[in-house]
Amino acid sequence: AQSVAQPEDQVNVAEGNPLTVKCTYSVSGNPYLFWYVQYPNRGLQFLLKYITGDNLVKGSYGFEAEFNKSQTSFHLKKPSALVSDSALYFCAVRDPVAGGYQKVTFGIGTKLQVIP
Amino acid sequence: DTGVSQNPRHKITKRGQNVTFRCDPISEHNRLYWYRQTLGQGPEFLTYFQNEAQLEKSRLLSDRFSAERPKGSFSTLEIQRTEQGDSAMYLCASSTYAGGAETQYFGPGTRLLVL
């Protein structure tokens, strides 16, 4: 079964500093990995995804994520945090090898707080 | 804005009542998904449609829950005899087929409170 873990409930970072939101996954094959952001009382917004190829994936709003197969990780990063980045971030995984409908499994989310 | 829309955005109901939510996906998307999100959790998969066919249902979807997508466009999610444990955010997402790598685009959600 596929799973994803976000080990930090909350990440605090000062505005202008680099940020990292951690994600690790478990699948039987090579994963498809996604990051979404959720603002209060809103749906999820897609940030980026890894399917294959370059391990560094660039996405929306200056975010990027690095796929590390040996560490089964897909950490979200941004070189310089903005106060407006404060939100809930979800990592998600899909196992393309699994049969039937390829369900996406979401982590429990990490709250990012950017301090002015 | 031609994104995914959901109605109503908020619903308060009394225990035992029936509720129905609607989702309008992005027009060219043939896949539609329903999720439930409770406080402090990520979205949990409920069910999935490809066109009008409901192809997968989660064990979370008890017999009080039913979803339809009659013409392969909009979808409805009905909860009968609501219980307080049904209080949650119900999210709808849509996508087009991309060999398993498709991106799901989410609506704003319907927040249900069962009193």
Side-chain angles (χ1 to χ4, degrees), chain A residues 73-90:
Chain A
S73 67
F74 189 57
H75 301 332
L76 181 70
K77 300 181 181 183
K78 186 173 182 181
S80 178
L82 300 173
V83 173
S84 57
D85 293 330
S86 299
L88 196 54
Y89 290 80
F90 291 96

Side-chain angles (χ1 to χ4, degrees), chain A residues 50-116:
Chain A
Y50 170 82
I51 304 301
T52 187
D54 193 344
N55 290 342
L56 186 63
V57 179
K58 294 188 182 296
S60 305
Y61 313 119
F63 284 94
E64 58 189 28
E66 186 167 12
F67 172 64
N68 187 318
K69 187 173 183 178
S70 63
Q71 297 185 1
T72 61
S73 67
F74 189 57
H75 301 332
L76 181 70
K77 300 181 181 183
K78 186 173 182 181
S80 178
L82 300 173
V83 173
S84 57
D85 293 330
S86 299
L88 196 54
Y89 290 80
F90 291 96
C91 182
V93 66
R94 169 183 278 145
D95 183 351
V97 173
Y101 164 60
Q102 296 159 352
K103 182 179 69 174
V104 173
T105 299
F106 287 84
I108 63 170
T110 297
K111 182 178 180 181
L112 174 66
Q113 189 75 40
V114 180
I115 303 163

Side-chain angles (χ1 to χ4, degrees), chain A residues 32 34 36 38 41-44 46 49 51 90 94 101-104 106-108, chain B residues 9 33 35 37 41-43 45 48 56 99-104 106-108 111:
Chain A
Y32 295 155
F34 306 81
Y36 286 83
Q38 186 176 35
N41 298 312
R42 303 287 299 276
L44 277 68
F46 170 73
K49 67 181 177 184
I51 304 301
F90 291 96
R94 169 183 278 145
Y101 164 60
Q102 296 159 352
K103 182 179 69 174
V104 173
F106 287 84
I108 63 170
Chain B
R9 294 291 307 277
Y33 316 80
Y35 290 86
Q37 185 181 20
Q41 299 295 320
F45 169 76
Y48 151 66
E56 184 93 7
E102 55 264 30
T103 297
Q104 296 182 19
F106 284 80
R111 185 171 293 281

